[in-house]
Amino acid sequence: MTTTQDGRFRAMPRNTFPSVEICSFELKLKNWQRALYQATRYRSFSHRVFVVMPVKGAYVAYQHEEQFRKANVGLVAHEKSGQSRVLVRPKKRSPHAGYRTIMALGMFSQPGQSE
């Protein structure tokens, strides 16, 4: 992988990518619909996506479990104590946009450098 002059990442023909799994998390205090919408956008570069909410909000969202499953987005109930419980577990899928995955990998490989 190389970086172009304008800061973009480009895979070279003989590049091999590390075996990685990118998981993204959308954290919301409430408004599970907005969280689900935003989480679906992370599917472009992530293998798995989760919405994380406080327990009360997560169980409200869990009443709409089928929408999370249909979107293949996980749901996590997080307690103040730091404990978390996965209510909906997403399946691992290939990201929708490979170039965004390359960008994400590049950002991970250069900590402290973001747009």
Side-chain angles (χ1 to χ4, degrees):
M1 191 169 350
T2 64
T3 305
T4 62
Q5 285 184 328
D6 59 355
R8 294 183 294 161
F9 299 98
R10 183 175 66 194
M12 300 306 288
R14 295 185 181 168
N15 275 35
T16 57
F17 294 99
S19 178
V20 297
E21 180 177 336
I22 298 175
C23 296
S24 296
F25 301 88
E26 176 65 27
L27 287 77
K28 283 279 189 270
L29 295 174
K30 48 188 171 182
N31 196 347
W32 67 267
Q33 297 97 330
R34 180 74 177 157
L36 179 59
Y37 167 74
Q38 288 177 298
T40 60
R41 300 191 67 185
Y42 302 154
R43 291 293 328 255
S44 67
F45 63 88
S46 300
H47 296 89
R48 294 181 207 257
V49 180
F50 295 85
V51 167
V52 181
M53 299 183 76
V55 173
K56 184 177 178 181
Y59 279 99
V60 169
Y62 190 61
Q63 294 173 6
H64 307 275
E65 171 188 6
E66 192 55 37
Q67 290 184 45
F68 284 84
R69 292 196 188 283
K70 186 176 180 180
N72 195 35
V73 172
L75 178 61
V76 176
H78 184 71
E79 298 180 16
K80 289 180 182 180
S81 67
Q83 299 291 323
S84 294
R85 180 171 179 223
V86 177
L87 304 176
V88 177
R89 187 173 305 278
K91 295 177 184 174
K92 182 178 180 181
R93 300 276 171 97
S94 294
H96 297 296
Y99 74 96
R100 290 187 182 224
T101 304
I102 292 169
M103 288 173 55
L105 289 171
M107 291 172 78
F108 294 143
S109 69
Q110 297 178 1
Q113 295 186 15
S114 62
E115 294 181 30

